[in-house]
Amino acid sequence: MSNNDYDATLSYAVDIVFCIDVTGSMTPVLGTVKDGALSFHKRLEEAMHAKGKAISQLRLRVITYRDFADNAADAIEASSFWTIPDQIDEFEAFIRRQRASGGGDEPESGLEALAVAIKSEWERGLDRRRHVIAMFTDASAHPLGTGASARTYPAGLPSSMDDLFEMWGYATSQQAVMENAAKRLLLFAPDTNPWNVIAADWNNTIYLPSRAGEGLEEVELAEIIDTIANSV
Amino acid sequence: MLIEATCDPEGDEPRLAAWHVAVRELIAVAAWVPKRPGLGEDAEPTFMHHAPSGRGVLGVYDGLGGAGARHAGRAADGRRLSHAFVASRLAHLTVQSWFADLAAGQAEPTLPQRLAETLGGARTAARNKIVGTMRRDFPTTLAVIDYQQAGDGLTVAASWAGDSRCYLLTADLGLQQLSKDDSDVEDVLELLIADQPMTNVVSASGDSTIHRRVFAGLPTPCVLVCATDGFFGYVTAPAMFEHVLLSELDRAADAGEWAQRLTARVRGYTSDDASVVAVAVGFGSFAQLQEEYRERLRRLTHEHADMFDTVAGRTEFVAARRRSWEIYRRNYLRYFNWPTEDLTVPRSPAPEQTGARW
């Protein structure tokens, strides 16, 4: 389509939020997860480029989490969005300094991390927005609100799975925080509640059930990248 | 149909193709443009016409690359084929088989029954580790028009699933969408801007529906069009898809050049595999077809294309896009809420574990 002064080509504004469990049990796989996160956006760009899909803006954000019930002081750390490629160094430095430790008992604060991700300052202005949350964990999750009395517990989070589902939204929901056309939820998580329930009930989910101590295989990552790139 | 295909200089795999045929008072053109040579998820378009009965069918098919990213097998030349790639081809072949039987007087099995059998038969017992609500086995859209000529009129049935579209194009009212996308959003401009997720496609995973609308006594001459979103989903405004069709018609010397021009034009603006098939019914010649739509093209250019040629910056562009749609929508949506019959594609039984793999 021709335009004199403005390129009206429909391209994609992509925001990706990585939620990464950095508790002690992630030690065997955290290196693989970090490599996956560091390469994810490049591979997504390549896959979209191969399809001829242009990216107008790419932003990345990282949320790492442990367990509010174990140690509220280091239970969650959330970055702002970095615009890529301008702020790639900040993104990579944040990922590289992550170390697996702590976490206490097996359930972790994954639902809090997911809620914080959903409440991200997503791009709202450009055409063809895509808002991707990628969750990496090897554990189940505490019910929402566990450890909520802690000073570090994020404000304004939902208090139940039903409320979290409302934030994610569905076809006719009125209170959704996520845009229905834009949202994608990618889960690398064990086949246990709440992840298997979310994967089955929420729309726009891609779920790779993980096993303790097993990383992400190359063929699976390639298929996931294809799924995201081709659904963008 | 006569086939004009441009071949990859490195091999025999067609990179894209344009078809055209003129028989009696029918002129048909089709364009098929895979984004990645040999890996496009759109199947080749369908056009079949059965002269003795005056019946015909046109259709397009767009395999869902995201939902159908799963590996399905390899082609003889080593290409890694996805469920999406295979699904659109199976739908294409199934529609052609269904129509051949229909033209011969055999109405059963119905198209949904045949699709369930074909797509279900492609499934294997091997379980994929990657699941989730975005995933489907052999998912594809389809948009199919079957028609019957009767005197000066035309009875048309539009069948579709997903976001591929069926259209009627007349010289007085322009392009009119006969189908309605499977989406939670109805606004056609919003669908263009946001590329909304589909709420229904044909697949082997069950819960599929084919929608069908019948339009009796449509006046001829007219043009019937089926297109995938690669053609209509990357233009600046809904009106500009019609402008693409008619401006390339106007510039062409004959039907073959119209098809070639559409192929070249869409490559310049799309970010997806693209396919379109158009069948002009009731025109005595290609020159008459051009003449019939010349005034419509002039109006489209004046009301829409010229406006986009002068915008400066995003704010002006967004306002122009909205203004264009407000002008265009009244006739375009004429059939948008036409009565619809929903036909269920039966769920295929799960394949038995045999150990066999593709």
Side-chain angles (χ1 to χ4, degrees):
Chain A
M1 301 290 97
S2 65
N3 295 90
N4 280 349
D5 301 312
Y6 177 67
D7 180 6
T9 305
L10 283 166
S11 52
Y12 294 83
V14 180
D15 289 344
I16 304 172
V17 178
F18 296 101
C19 293
I20 304 175
D21 177 343
V22 289
T23 58
S25 64
M26 288 286 284
T27 300
V29 294
L30 188 59
T32 307
V33 168
K34 287 160 70 172
D35 289 344
L38 288 167
S39 66
F40 188 88
H41 67 281
K42 287 180 192 163
R43 297 187 58 159
L44 183 62
E45 282 183 288
E46 287 166 6
M48 290 181 67
H49 180 72
K51 286 277 289 181
K53 295 185 173 182
I55 295 180
S56 58
Q57 175 182 277
L58 174 62
R59 302 189 310 159
L60 305 177
R61 183 186 189 207
V62 182
I63 299 165
T64 57
Y65 71 93
R66 294 186 176 87
D67 187 353
F68 281 99
D70 175 56
N71 181 3
D74 67 355
I76 199 159
E77 182 182 10
S79 77
S80 304
F81 272 114
W82 294 293
T83 301
I84 306 302
D86 294 352
Q87 295 176 295
I88 189 67
D89 290 346
E90 289 94 321
F91 164 70
E92 291 186 353
F94 190 100
I95 291 281
R96 290 189 201 287
R97 72 175 164 79
Q98 299 304 320
R99 298 287 179 268
S101 66
D105 56 358
E106 193 269 332
E108 317 294 0
S109 296
L111 289 176
E112 277 77 6
L114 180 56
V116 170
I118 288 173
K119 286 164 65 76
S120 295
E121 296 290 329
W122 301 106
E123 169 61 48
R124 303 282 184 191
L126 298 172
D127 292 339
R128 298 212 166 184
R129 300 178 288 277
R130 291 296 180 264
H131 302 156
V132 181
I133 298 173
M135 165 71 70
F136 300 87
T137 183
D138 67 344
S140 60
H142 285 299
L144 277 160
T146 303
S149 60
R151 184 179 52 81
T152 53
Y153 194 89
L157 297 191
S159 57
S160 68
M161 276 296 287
D162 286 347
D163 290 345
L164 187 64
F165 181 44
E166 287 289 339
M167 287 174 65
W168 179 256
Y170 42 92
T172 56
S173 63
Q174 301 295 310
Q175 299 166 344
V177 172
M178 303 296 292
E179 292 182 47
N180 199 49
K183 67 187 178 185
R184 306 283 186 271
L185 176 57
L186 180 52
L187 293 167
F188 303 93
D191 188 3
T192 183
N193 197 356
W195 310 118
N196 51 9
V197 175
I198 289 172
D201 291 351
W202 294 19
N203 62 0
N204 294 3
T205 62
I206 304 163
Y207 178 34
L208 177 60
S210 59
R211 292 182 188 147
E214 286 187 10
L216 187 59
E217 292 179 21
E218 170 56 29
V219 65
E220 294 160 352
L221 183 59
E223 190 172 325
I224 286 162
I225 296 284
D226 270 354
T227 302
I228 297 277
N230 287 302
S231 72
V232 163
Chain B
M1 292 175 79
L2 301 177
I3 297 175
E4 297 286 345
T6 304
C7 291
D8 184 345
E10 300 299 318
D12 294 325
E13 183 61 34
R15 296 171 63 87
L16 49 87
W19 293 267
H20 65 95
V21 66
V23 54
R24 298 184 183 174
E25 291 199 332
L26 288 175
I27 300 168
V29 296
W32 175 68
V33 183
K35 203 68 188 171
R36 293 177 295 176
L39 294 172
E41 284 140 5
D42 281 17
E44 297 88 333
T46 292
F47 173 59
M48 298 171 76
H49 182 78
H50 184 247
S53 64
R55 300 185 81 146
V57 66
L58 53 153
V60 293
Y61 320 87
D62 178 3
L64 271 68
R70 185 179 174 188
H71 175 66
R74 288 191 182 273
D77 60 6
R79 279 173 298 149
R80 192 175 187 278
L81 305 179
S82 67
H83 274 219
F85 181 100
V86 174
S88 63
R89 272 72 180 180
L90 290 176
H92 166 84
L93 295 171
T94 303
V95 166
Q96 298 200 160
S97 165
W98 162 75
F99 178 75
D101 286 347
L102 190 68
Q106 184 183 331
E108 301 281 341
T110 64
L111 181 57
Q113 289 168 335
R114 287 171 189 254
L115 284 166
E117 183 181 344
T118 307
L119 295 174
R123 294 170 80 186
T124 64
R127 184 173 173 272
N128 191 24
K129 281 175 70 178
I130 302 173
V131 293
T133 51
M134 278 187 67
R135 307 282 294 179
R136 292 279 186 279
D137 284 338
F138 298 101
T140 183
T141 72
L142 66 81
V144 172
I145 294 176
D146 60 280
Y147 61 86
Q148 169 110 49
Q149 294 172 295
D152 290 338
L154 197 62
T155 295
V156 162
S159 304
W160 76 95
D163 67 356
S164 295
R165 293 179 181 170
C166 305
Y167 299 97
L168 171 69
L169 176 57
T170 61
D172 54 346
L173 299 177
L175 199 64
Q176 299 141 68
Q177 190 174 325
L178 302 178
S179 55
K180 189 177 192 178
D181 294 4
D182 279 309
S183 168
D184 294 320
V185 173
E186 286 199 0
D187 185 89
V188 173
L189 179 58
E190 182 59 27
L191 286 166
L192 177 72
I193 295 169
D195 190 18
Q196 297 281 340
M198 284 171 259
T199 53
N200 171 61
V201 293
V202 174
S203 80
S205 298
D207 304 325
S208 300
T209 298
I210 294 178
H211 313 289
R212 185 171 171 85
R213 291 173 170 175
V214 177
F215 307 86
L218 290 181
T220 55
C222 66
V223 180
L224 305 172
V225 180
C226 295
T228 61
D229 65 339
F231 249 97
F232 60 77
Y234 292 85
V235 293
T236 45
M240 296 307 292
F241 173 50
E242 184 185 344
H243 193 268
V244 167
L245 294 174
L246 295 186
S247 58
E248 299 310 329
L249 167 67
D250 197 57
R251 290 173 186 141
D254 52 32
E257 189 181 339
W258 186 20
Q260 292 283 6
R261 282 184 161 277
L262 288 172
T263 303
R265 179 74 178 273
V266 76
R267 293 181 79 192
Y269 68 80
T270 193
S271 294
D272 203 350
D273 306 319
S275 47
V276 68
V277 53
V279 179
V281 183
F283 297 92
S285 65
F286 187 75
Q288 188 197 341
L289 171 64
Q290 286 178 307
E291 183 57 33
E292 191 81 20
Y293 285 91
R294 197 153 280 143
E295 173 57 23
R296 175 68 190 168
L297 173 61
R298 191 198 61 75
R299 185 171 171 178
L300 273 176
T301 303
H302 174 67
E303 290 182 346
H304 303 278
D306 288 352
M307 184 161 56
F308 290 110
D309 279 342
T310 56
V311 296
R314 179 166 172 82
T315 304
E316 274 190 30
F317 168 71
V318 170
R321 186 167 63 185
R322 171 59 60 187
R323 201 159 56 247
S324 165
W325 175 232
E326 290 306 322
I327 296 167
Y328 191 66
R329 60 181 296 159
R330 183 167 172 270
N331 290 331
Y332 180 85
L333 298 178
R334 187 175 181 217
Y335 294 110
F336 204 59
N337 291 313
W338 199 256
T340 306
E341 181 184 8
D342 287 339
L343 309 170
T344 301
V345 178
R347 183 178 175 81
S348 314
E352 292 179 11
Q353 183 81 50
T354 61
R357 297 290 299 272
W358 283 44

